[in-house]
Amino acid sequence: MKVYKLHSDDGHFQAFEIDNAYIRPKSIRKLLSNLKEVVEISLQSEHRASIDIKLSFKYCGIKYIVWEPYGDNSRYWIGPESEGEYPDLDLQPLANVFLKYRPFFLAKIFGDILTLNFKSIFK
């Protein structure tokens, strides 16, 4: 899966985005549960904080969210819940979970069509 890194003005890797056509929040929850640094994972339906927030969790003691801006974006934004809270934390292990993720065959085909990634389909 492709990860789109987002950096602060000073170049710090602060958050990232992933295409939501390839993965659902329950699958994200399952992936995150494999990281020892991730605790207190909660699906949006369990806390109803915002309809756009699909998941929340703590990574190295900091609260993070999986957010779908406007509820109809093509990507999930994954980063700190509090705006401006970008500690000097290594997000690469978190991003690596998604970089290594391979969707099921039908999800991959469906995602490639939705994202117009035809090059990937014919690989």
Side-chain angles (χ1 to χ4, degrees):
M1 171 176 283
K2 187 169 183 176
V3 170
Y4 306 87
K5 291 183 177 184
L6 304 170
H7 296 85
S8 61
D9 292 337
D10 63 0
H12 181 72
F13 176 24
Q14 64 186 12
F16 59 93
E17 294 178 334
I18 57 172
D19 292 313
N20 66 10
Y22 297 99
I23 192 165
R24 304 279 47 110
K26 285 185 180 182
S27 296
I28 293 172
R29 179 184 195 174
K30 188 174 180 180
L31 286 176
L32 292 175
S33 68
N34 293 322
L35 270 180
K36 66 180 182 203
E37 300 89 353
V38 174
V39 295
E40 298 179 26
I41 305 169
S42 175
L43 286 170
Q44 180 269 340
S45 60
E46 296 171 350
H47 59 74
R48 297 275 183 210
S50 165
I51 204 161
D52 297 342
I53 296 174
K54 303 302 179 188
L55 201 89
S56 65
F57 60 95
K58 282 192 177 177
Y59 175 68
C60 297
I62 306 291
K63 193 158 186 184
Y64 279 73
I65 58 171
V66 176
W67 175 49
E68 184 181 15
Y70 313 109
D72 65 352
N73 201 305
S74 63
R75 293 183 186 169
Y76 291 131
W77 180 92
I78 301 171
E81 180 182 52
S82 298
E83 196 172 328
E85 186 175 330
Y86 306 115
D88 191 21
L89 201 64
D90 183 13
L91 282 187
Q92 198 57 54
L94 193 58
N96 285 345
V97 168
F98 296 97
L99 284 168
K100 293 175 186 174
Y101 175 73
R102 298 293 175 256
F104 293 106
F105 177 74
L106 289 177
K108 170 110 175 72
I109 297 296
F110 179 73
D112 287 345
I113 291 169
L114 278 177
T115 60
L116 303 176
N117 189 9
F118 300 118
K119 186 177 177 182
S120 175
I121 293 173
F122 300 110
K123 233 179 177 179

